[in-house]
Amino acid sequence: MSKIILKSISKSFKGTVIFNNVNLTGETGKIIAIKGKSGVGKSTLLNIIAGLEKASSGSYRFDDIDMEKKNLNELAKVRGESIGYISQFSPMIPKLTTFENICIPLIFNKKNGKLEETKIKKIVELSKLFQVHHLLDKKIKKLSGGEIQRAGIIRSIICEPKLVVADEPTGSLDDETSSAILNFFREMKTNGTTVILATHSQMVADQSDVVYNLTKEGLHLE
């Protein structure tokens, strides 16, 4: 079972302190929301938790792994195996279909050159839940921003990660779709997945187990 522990994490960029003394213990199977003013560093903190960049100082352990002692290639391996990252603007390969883009994390898990049938069924199931099933055979460049974001969420969770890190996952979505995503996060947490998300939405915060406010001085419980 995974657990996230951040101790005295700080981040500076070109001599400017973004935040200091961030402490966080993420228990297994919890939804943790991080709020804060624009520009305070929420995305940067999520990038550190997801292993996309490293803190300037402090310690970070995930699933008994000392993340601060790993190089970026090693962090990428951890992320590929255990962390699903949902960005505000899901990067996609324009020439591929929606289905092919969703399948990218599964490429290295092929058996006998074929995707597992259970994973294909899961993609179809999730695409129906997030209302993009009719777009699976369409080139991703033909989709709207909200549709691409939904496809990106499916891609991030299709490998059933232990930790989901989500940066404004409902930012460009309507209320109905947002509710479906939050309901699915709650379903994931019952299976032991920890979800850490940044949000400006009070609705999202209200449906989280723990809510923090990020300032330059650290995280503070709301």
Side-chain angles (χ1 to χ4, degrees), residues 198-211:
T199 185
H200 285 104
S201 168
Q202 190 58 46
M203 179 190 75
V204 174
D206 288 343
Q207 296 188 52
S208 301
D209 297 304
V210 187
V211 181

